[in-house]
Amino acid sequence: MIASWPRLAEFAAQFDFPLDDFQIEACRAVEDGRGVLVAAPTGAGKTIVGEFAVHLALATGRKAFYTTPIKALSNQKYTDLVRRHGADRVGLLTGDASINGEAPIVVMTTEVLRNMMYAGSTTLRGLGWVVMDEVHYLADRFRGAVWEEVIIHLPPDVSVVSLSATVSNAEEFGAWLDEVRGDTEVIVSEHRPVPLWQHMMVGQTLFDLFVEERDSREDDEHFTAAPGRFSVSVNPDLVHAIRGTEGRGAWDSHWVSNRGGRDKGRSKSRNGRGRDARGGRDDWAGRGRRGSDSSGGRGPGGGDGGRGFARGGRPGGGATRAEVIERLEREGLLPAITFIFSRAGCDAAVGQLLASGMRLVPESDGEANRRLVEERIQGLAEEDLSVLGYWDFVDGISRGFAAHHAGMLPTFREIVEELFTAGRVRAVFATETLALGINMPARTVVLEKLVKFNGENHVDISPAEYTQLTGRAGRRGIDIEGHAVVIWNRGLDPAGVAGLASTRTYPLRSSFRPTYNMAVNLVRQFGRETAREILETSFAQFQADRAVVGFVRTIRRNEEALAGYAEQMTCHLGDFTEYAAIRNEIRNVEKEGAKARSASVRAAAAISLESLKLGDIVRIPAGRHSGLAVVVLPNRGGKGEAPSPSVVTEDHQLRRLTLHDVPTPLEPLGSMRVPKQFNARNPKARRDLAATLRATMPHDPPPRRRGAEPDPDDQRLDGLRRQLKAHPCHRCPDRENHARWAERWWRLRRETDGLQRKVDGRTNSVAKTFDRICDLLVEMGYLGAGGQTVTAEGDRLRQLYTEKDLLAAECLRVGAWRRLDAPSLAAIVSALVHEPRREESGLTPRWPNDDVREAYDRMVEIWSDLEDAEGALTLPRTGMPDGGIAWAVHRWASGQRLEDVLRGTDLAAGDFVRRCKQVIDLLGQLTDAADPDLAATARKASDGVLRGVVAADRLD
């Protein structure tokens, strides 16, 4: 089958298993010199195709770059390739690691490759293949544009091997790749090598989510379809159990689950086995059980899982986290990853398992785990271990379970990944970041909730996210099947879960948009006109153009229909179009009046937020944080932003009040004194203030009533109604029939006009944005006249890759940081990389010294002018710099202990380390872009930050 492709035959012989058909098809295309897009489920073995490109590079004396979206995946892939090809032939380039960068095979983050291309790096010489792992990441709204930049700008003789999760528009993405890269073969595989079964846990009982039932029409003698037809539906016993739990209460639910829970959970279909949405079989009862949970009659506190009631069970008889893991272990379904969309929840889960005394690995393995951890943390200062959460971490690891989230030290996360993959950690509690690319397959994936916080609101997870998370279940070559378990919570509809589990339509959408740095780099390399043409080849414009073709076709069809509608509403008594226009205006005025009343209430609510003063006590009317709160930072809004004062709630949480929280006007219930030195970022200070709040305002005063205001549109409506009745068509016996056609005409007219606006907005949309960016850069002196050349200031901007690139360049241009010493420069640079939580933004930062405060004030002035200029050209606004971690970064760069640095802040160690690495990255860019004196300070600052825990997880 592969003998005609000698390199592929040579490569396949290295494995002790046969390659899948889609892998062979993709590798053939690569050996034939074509580009490929491989879209397949998680765990299907897409990376085999990328590794074949690496094999080809070594066999033909050329280079291959293997790019990944995140450093953790780069490190993992580097380790894999070193194991296969040797350290002398494999290199690694990430933001904070540089190993053997001139090797024939180099693993790197995608940003590193983008920067190399713009810099014209000599490392690109001899490059034959670029593997873009997790290429669907180009939909990421923050970093996705980098993937398109790389694909567009790579030399034409470089073959691109794109590896993607299954997306519904793979053919569209492949068509774009074919257009910009040349001959590209699209290979889509929807087959999961390890079948996935879907389940829900209600109370203490596991149920199949789906059952497969015989078509009832087969019993009809007149039904002629082929026998054996089955339909997939939500398990009725699951629905029954949920109704029992919701309707009869916890005791009855527990009684139902214990009387017949195992049988109900196994809902028998025709062949006695439950089936998932894809028709796979499931037989929980006979699979790897390590004991029996059958017992006699029982009430709370007894029998199967009854301990949930006796000690710390969840409301409604739900299983605790320890009981869920215990149940999975009894069923032989470990190792498992439990996704909890909260870092605190992940850490709490480890604490709960420790408190339960659970052990998932033999003591000998636990001791080996402990020794591995102790070896890995030798570079850490002993006094830092407590603040890093080391003791709970090592206790959990030695018992076979751990947390995994971005707030942990990177070294700890890497240890968890290594031990879980080796089978020496059996349960991991993780946030969704683990689902991105890292090779940590499990037998079972558990989802505690199907709602997550997206940085602004709590939202339902999408079908794509559900598939990405549950895709971890089932280890190829180890498990014969994988399992996804959703924990039922009150209000969770099994039909909604079934929809998530069975939806297969999640298209890849481009997030590409030009940036200031991209603009100066493209103008320098190609000139403005050619750069504009290049950007018009982006996937974003490709998708926009394809949509425009469809819109134009629809507009043409609609115009024909409108002519037909107009003919149908002709009236012999008069102009029915005119009559219909009056009816339509009445409807619009009524609608506008309702909107105006709503807007009036909203405006009054905004004014009430704007009027709040320090110390005002208010009651948040609804939501998760409803109740009393005290204002700790008034905020009047501005520059198009609504007022959003910061408050401390009675449960000592810091929150920003927005119109989403307060849809109606808010009146202070009273006021209290807020200490002058109050630090809202200090948890203890918040607890003390919340206690004072509860003591100050123990009861609510009665609500004030507002009088209704007259509606100004009433008079206008009366006039229109009189005009309507006086119209000749009002007396037509067929008036309502004409009116129905008129209503269709107006509805289609609105739809058609909307489509035309979309067409006008999407045509050349990327190029238009690029033109506006160039106009701004010309105005500010970064591009020469007409935007045809790059100035000296533009050369500085060209070397700054931060999200706030133009703001950083402006600070360099005006010398805003010239007076700063090394720790102060590190502190001020942190304001360009720190992204505060929504409730923290706008809080007055704590400054390490006056120099940093003055530099920040100057930065804000520059930012304000820049934002005004962007607004005038309708460009995306640059985010405001935030000094929320400036004080902590200054102390760290000054050599202080981690415990002292983080004391009094809400910063997790992992977050602090990640921010420090971003600071180091930007300081490195400053050493290239700044004048010699500031460059020297930036180098010194970088050295001061790169120490201790920040340097601990570097591979070199």
Side-chain angles (χ1 to χ4, degrees):
M1 187 178 182
I2 59 177
S4 302
W5 288 266
R7 298 296 185 193
L8 175 54
E10 184 180 281
F11 174 72
Q14 300 174 11
F15 298 96
D16 55 6
F17 56 85
L19 299 186
D20 290 341
D21 290 347
F22 85 92
Q23 294 168 333
I24 292 171
E25 187 181 354
C27 290
R28 283 174 175 174
V30 174
E31 185 166 349
D32 287 342
R34 300 200 300 278
V36 292
L37 167 63
V38 182
T42 301
K46 297 184 290 286
T47 55
I48 286 283
V49 185
E51 288 173 13
F52 177 62
V54 168
H55 173 82
L56 267 182
L58 292 173
T60 58
R62 300 179 73 189
K63 288 184 178 181
F65 289 170
Y66 198 111
T67 70
T68 71
I70 54 174
K71 177 192 165 251
L73 186 53
S74 291
N75 290 349
Q76 192 173 64
K77 200 68 209 175
Y78 168 74
T79 304
D80 292 345
L81 291 175
V82 164
R83 193 180 299 120
R84 179 174 290 274
H85 301 293
D88 59 320
R89 300 206 284 181
V90 183
L92 175 68
L93 294 173
T94 64
D96 55 12
S98 177
I99 305 171
N100 199 16
E102 295 300 324
I105 307 303
V106 184
V107 182
M108 61 184 68
T109 51
T110 316
E111 281 88 350
V112 169
L113 177 54
R114 186 270 313 271
N115 299 353
M116 286 170 63
M117 291 193 309
Y118 282 153
S121 171
T122 57
T123 305
L124 294 166
R125 289 177 190 161
L127 182 61
W129 290 269
V130 168
V131 180
M132 305 201 76
D133 205 352
E134 308 285 336
V135 74
H136 55 272
Y137 204 80
L138 66 76
D140 181 79
R141 62 190 177 118
F142 297 112
R143 295 171 53 217
V146 177
W147 273 253
E148 287 188 52
E149 285 184 81
V150 169
I151 290 169
I152 292 169
H153 301 316
L154 274 172
D157 60 336
V158 175
S159 294
V160 176
V161 176
S162 303
L163 310 178
S164 170
T166 309
V167 292
S168 57
N169 63 333
E171 288 77 12
E172 179 188 39
F173 184 46
W176 173 70
L177 286 170
D178 196 74
E179 190 170 289
V180 296
R181 298 299 316 166
D183 189 7
T184 300
E185 188 158 337
V186 179
I187 292 144
V188 178
S189 173
E190 302 236 5
H191 172 69
R192 274 186 58 98
V194 180
L196 177 65
W197 279 268
Q198 311 277 350
H199 312 279
M200 287 186 74
M201 178 177 275
V202 183
Q204 316 286 324
T205 307
L206 287 162
F207 290 85
D208 297 334
L209 175 58
F210 296 104
V211 292
E212 196 175 63
E213 297 173 343
R214 187 165 59 91
D215 194 319
S216 60
R217 291 176 297 173
E218 285 188 30
D219 295 329
D220 185 346
E221 60 182 340
H222 301 296
F223 183 65
T224 57
R229 176 181 294 191
F230 284 77
S231 62
V232 173
S233 60
V234 174
N235 186 347
D237 292 316
L238 166 63
V239 176
H240 176 74
I242 289 173
R243 284 177 182 162
T245 302
E246 288 183 323
R248 291 191 300 273
W251 179 289
D252 286 346
S253 154
H254 183 76
W255 174 245
V256 167
S257 73
N258 281 323
R259 281 178 56 196
R262 291 196 63 82
D263 288 337
K264 289 181 180 295
R266 306 301 160 262
S267 289
K268 306 296 185 210
S269 61
R270 181 177 58 112
N271 59 2
R273 288 170 178 160
R275 293 178 178 256
D276 82 334
R278 304 173 192 81
R281 68 173 186 81
D282 186 23
D283 183 7
W284 279 80
R287 185 183 299 107
R289 291 177 53 203
R290 298 185 181 179
S292 172
D293 55 354
S294 59
S295 40
R298 33 224 159 181
D304 174 22
R307 291 165 296 174
F309 267 82
R311 49 174 182 83
R314 292 184 175 181
T320 64
R321 285 164 175 157
E323 288 166 339
V324 170
I325 298 301
E326 188 179 3
R327 180 61 183 266
L328 294 178
E329 186 184 26
R330 284 205 310 270
E331 297 282 4
L333 296 176
L334 295 182
I337 299 171
T338 301
F339 284 108
I340 304 173
F341 301 121
S342 155
R343 299 174 183 183
C346 294
D347 293 335
V350 171
Q352 289 156 16
L353 264 63
L354 286 172
S356 73
M358 183 171 291
R359 173 177 288 281
L360 301 177
V361 295
E363 288 196 21
S364 57
D365 283 358
E367 280 307 306
N369 290 354
R370 183 183 291 271
R371 285 195 299 273
L372 175 72
V373 175
E374 289 169 352
E375 288 170 14
R376 292 290 183 85
I377 59 110
Q378 285 181 0
L380 302 179
E382 193 166 336
E383 64 267 18
D384 290 341
L385 295 181
S386 292
V387 73
L388 294 171
Y390 170 76
W391 304 111
D392 275 356
F393 173 75
V394 75
D395 282 353
I397 283 281
S398 66
R399 290 175 172 270
F401 50 85
H404 186 290
H405 58 75
M408 295 168 62
L409 195 66
T411 302
F412 288 4
R413 290 202 305 272
E414 289 165 12
I415 291 170
V416 174
E417 291 160 15
E418 181 179 328
L419 290 177
F420 189 82
T421 304
R424 288 160 53 187
V425 164
R426 310 263 299 156
V428 167
F429 300 93
T431 55
E432 75 271 22
T433 51
L434 183 145
L436 179 69
I438 298 171
N439 184 26
M440 269 183 68
R443 180 168 295 171
T444 304
V445 163
V446 180
L447 299 179
E448 278 202 353
K449 291 183 179 179
L450 299 179
V451 174
K452 70 171 189 174
F453 187 66
N454 68 359
E456 296 176 358
N457 299 298
H458 285 85
V459 297
D460 294 335
I461 66 172
S462 67
E465 289 168 328
Y466 183 89
T467 301
Q468 184 87 2
L469 295 167
T470 57
R472 296 277 149 209
R475 298 163 298 172
R476 188 169 192 179
I478 302 173
D479 301 322
I480 59 170
E481 55 203 20
H483 297 271
V485 178
V486 175
I487 306 296
W488 178 80
N489 296 286
R490 200 169 289 276
L492 181 60
D493 181 6
V497 181
L500 282 175
S502 56
T503 299
R504 291 293 173 268
T505 54
Y506 26 88
L508 191 60
R509 296 291 179 217
S510 172
S511 61
F512 182 83
R513 66 176 179 85
T515 65
Y516 301 114
N517 170 278
M518 187 193 303
V520 291
N521 272 297
L522 289 177
V523 170
R524 177 177 174 272
Q525 281 188 279
F526 306 106
R528 180 168 176 172
E529 289 309 312
T530 304
R532 192 179 193 277
E533 292 169 8
I534 288 171
L535 289 178
E536 287 188 314
T537 66
S538 67
F539 188 44
Q541 191 61 59
F542 183 84
Q543 288 190 310
D545 290 344
R546 281 199 159 193
V548 162
V549 171
F551 291 155
V552 169
R553 191 182 301 121
T554 304
I555 288 169
R556 192 178 300 120
R557 190 167 58 243
N558 286 0
E559 292 291 354
E560 292 170 2
L562 285 167
Y565 291 172
E567 187 178 334
Q568 290 294 328
M569 66 181 182
T570 302
C571 177
H572 67 287
L573 294 178
D575 185 350
F576 202 89
T577 303
E578 183 181 81
Y579 179 78
I582 299 171
R583 286 177 65 138
N584 194 57
E585 189 175 357
I586 290 172
R587 189 183 301 108
N588 288 340
V589 170
E590 288 173 340
K591 203 176 289 183
E592 286 166 9
K595 281 184 183 175
R597 287 189 292 275
S598 174
S600 176
V601 172
R602 190 174 174 84
I607 291 170
S608 73
L609 286 178
E610 188 178 323
S611 304
L612 290 177
K613 300 186 294 294
L614 180 69
D616 278 350
I617 298 173
V618 296
R619 174 166 285 280
I620 303 173
R624 289 198 317 138
H625 304 291
S626 59
L628 292 175
V630 57
V631 177
V632 295
L633 183 69
N635 180 326
R636 294 178 175 274
K639 289 201 180 261
E641 292 186 2
S644 52
S646 296
V647 300
V648 170
T649 63
E650 57 187 318
D651 60 348
H652 59 81
Q653 298 297 311
L654 177 64
R655 292 288 175 261
R656 289 185 73 189
L657 286 186
T658 66
L659 292 173
H660 179 76
D661 307 300
V662 186
T664 56
L666 200 63
E667 294 187 14
L669 306 177
S671 65
M672 60 180 278
R673 180 180 168 276
V674 177
K676 190 174 181 180
Q677 300 302 319
F678 176 73
N679 179 7
R681 286 189 167 89
N682 187 310
K684 183 180 183 304
R686 293 200 303 270
R687 284 195 295 272
D688 293 344
L689 190 69
T692 307
L693 168 65
R694 291 191 295 270
T696 303
M697 189 63 63
H699 303 291
D700 283 349
R704 302 182 188 179
R705 298 188 179 276
R706 295 175 175 268
E709 297 181 3
D711 192 332
D713 286 321
D714 286 348
Q715 192 173 351
R716 185 181 172 198
L717 279 171
D718 288 342
L720 285 170
R721 286 174 182 140
R722 284 193 298 271
Q723 190 179 345
L724 187 75
K725 287 178 181 177
H727 197 283
C729 291
H730 194 67
R731 297 186 298 276
C732 178
D734 291 327
R735 183 188 68 196
E736 291 309 310
N737 186 44
H738 296 328
R740 280 192 289 275
W741 284 106
E743 173 58 30
R744 292 174 189 170
W745 189 93
W746 280 104
R747 192 184 306 126
L748 192 58
R749 180 76 269 165
R750 285 194 298 272
E751 178 190 316
T752 305
D753 291 345
L755 287 173
Q756 187 60 55
R757 285 192 295 274
K758 284 184 178 180
V759 168
D760 295 341
R762 294 192 181 200
T763 306
N764 300 324
S765 55
V766 174
K768 287 174 184 174
T769 302
F770 174 72
D771 285 339
R772 293 197 299 273
I773 284 175
C774 287
D775 291 344
L776 179 59
L777 293 175
V778 169
E779 182 184 321
M780 298 180 71
Y782 290 90
L783 292 178
Q788 301 298 330
T789 58
V790 176
T791 65
E793 296 301 334
D795 269 329
R796 282 185 170 181
L797 174 58
R798 193 173 57 80
Q799 298 172 81
L800 298 171
Y801 295 98
T802 176
E803 190 176 334
K804 299 178 176 68
D805 47 10
L806 189 51
L807 177 57
E810 280 288 276
C811 290
L812 289 180
R813 187 173 66 82
V814 303
W817 305 331
R818 198 170 290 146
R819 293 172 46 199
L820 300 176
D821 61 14
S824 299
L825 181 61
I828 202 66
V829 162
S830 75
L832 292 172
V833 301
H834 180 53
E835 295 288 342
R837 293 196 297 263
R838 184 170 70 98
E839 61 271 15
E840 290 183 347
S841 58
L843 293 179
T844 303
R846 186 177 180 183
W847 300 116
N849 56 50
D850 288 342
D851 285 346
V852 175
R853 180 181 54 76
E854 289 170 9
Y856 178 78
D857 289 344
R858 183 73 181 101
M859 278 176 70
V860 171
E861 289 174 15
I862 296 167
W863 164 78
S864 181
D865 292 342
L866 173 58
E867 197 192 36
D868 288 342
E870 290 170 329
L873 290 168
T874 62
L875 286 168
R877 310 289 182 95
T878 297
M880 182 179 178
D882 189 285
I885 61 170
W887 184 80
V889 170
H890 185 277
R891 297 189 86 184
W892 180 254
S894 299
Q896 298 199 32
R897 296 166 59 221
L898 183 65
E899 185 176 4
D900 296 332
V901 168
L902 298 183
R903 186 183 295 123
T905 75
D906 286 335
L907 269 176
D911 290 329
F912 179 70
V913 169
R914 190 170 67 257
R915 293 298 184 214
C916 282
K917 292 190 173 184
Q918 291 171 326
V919 167
I920 291 166
D921 188 35
L922 186 46
L923 287 169
Q925 294 169 31
L926 293 183
T927 61
D928 296 327
D931 60 62
D933 289 342
L934 187 60
T937 306
R939 275 190 290 272
K940 189 175 178 184
S942 180
D943 292 341
V945 178
L946 186 60
R947 64 179 184 88
V949 292
V950 177
D953 71 322
R954 302 177 82 214
L955 291 182
D956 55 341

